[in-house]
Amino acid sequence: MVSSQVRPWTYFEGGIVGHVGFADPFDDELRSIITQAVEGKGVLEGDNVRIHAKGTLVCMEGPQFSTRAESILYRSSPLSASVINMSCLPEAKLAREAELAYAMICMSTDYDSWHTTNETVTVEMVMGHMKANSANARNVVAAVLDELGREERGAVIRGEKWKGTATGMAASITGVEGRGKEAVERLRWLFEGCF
């Protein structure tokens, strides 16, 4: 993931420091559950519609689309982006700080401007593809929710793998006397009983 920073990216500011690991932004177990659900018979409709469970995602700030130069850069080495989107950061970072399992389901709407044999990306093109994707989106959400509703998925739903990864670090880095009152109040609703 790559992005410029425009939107707020952290819960830990204003008097509480929390360094949270982010080497792998998505929860592998959750991604596996999603992949399994989406690969089920009859979930995806349409010619050549399939799931890509891994790759490199570049997140850019919108609302403007990429320039052709940016698009070509994102697809070239060392980035070799599989997907370029505008809606992954700060969500993935905030989910990690909140100790939540997080994964994305992206549906392609265009080739960005790197694909010189296609038209330049327009809002009309994107909206048309989004409308065409709507049936698959409904099917995917239903299949994923069915899979996540299974009793054995409880630990993933509760984010048990991530418990303590943010709160433990934040509690040990910033001493009680150095914690800003506003920061503590903001974090109390997220981490009840930790601050």
Side-chain angles (χ1 to χ4, degrees):
M1 280 194 241
V2 177
S3 182
S4 58
Q5 184 175 349
V6 174
R7 298 176 281 174
W9 287 48
T10 185
Y11 296 111
F12 297 105
E13 59 188 359
I16 293 183
V17 175
H19 298 290
V20 178
F22 199 62
D24 298 303
F26 303 119
D27 183 283
D28 282 335
E29 190 173 359
L30 181 57
R31 178 181 22 215
S32 176
I33 291 168
I34 292 168
T35 302
Q36 179 181 341
V38 174
E39 287 176 338
K41 187 175 171 95
V43 175
L44 296 177
E45 302 172 0
D47 294 337
N48 298 316
V49 177
R50 59 193 171 106
I51 186 169
H52 300 271
K54 296 214 177 209
T56 301
L57 185 148
V58 171
C59 184
M60 57 169 282
E61 286 290 339
Q64 299 83 8
F65 299 120
S66 301
T67 66
R68 192 170 314 281
E70 288 170 324
S71 183
I72 291 167
L73 173 68
Y74 297 150
R75 292 206 24 97
S76 67
S77 293
L79 293 178
S80 300
S82 309
V83 175
I84 302 168
N85 83 5
M86 297 178 196
S87 41
C88 184
L89 293 175
E91 295 88 343
K93 287 189 175 194
L94 293 172
R96 182 61 50 86
E97 285 187 355
E99 301 178 351
L100 300 172
Y102 183 79
M104 287 202 65
I105 300 171
C106 303
M107 294 195 170
S108 297
T109 58
D110 58 85
Y111 280 106
D112 207 51
S113 55
W114 68 268
H115 201 293
T116 57
T117 60
N118 284 355
E119 307 169 52
T120 302
V121 179
T122 65
V123 171
E124 293 77 22
M125 173 193 293
V126 170
M127 296 309 292
H129 290 152
M130 285 178 73
K131 184 176 180 182
N133 282 337
S134 64
N136 280 329
R138 284 190 299 275
N139 293 347
V140 165
V141 168
V144 170
L145 289 177
D146 282 347
E147 190 62 34
L148 290 173
R150 296 173 51 193
E151 190 174 329
E152 64 268 22
R153 304 299 189 201
V156 174
I157 297 296
R158 291 185 297 277
E160 289 179 8
K161 169 182 175 179
W162 304 107
K163 294 293 183 216
T165 57
T167 53
M169 181 66 78
S172 65
I173 289 179
T174 308
V176 175
E177 67 284 349
R179 297 176 186 171
K181 182 179 178 184
E182 193 175 300
V184 170
E185 290 302 315
R186 184 178 54 252
L187 290 173
R188 277 195 177 136
W189 68 267
L190 188 59
F191 301 115
E192 189 176 343
C194 290
F195 294 98

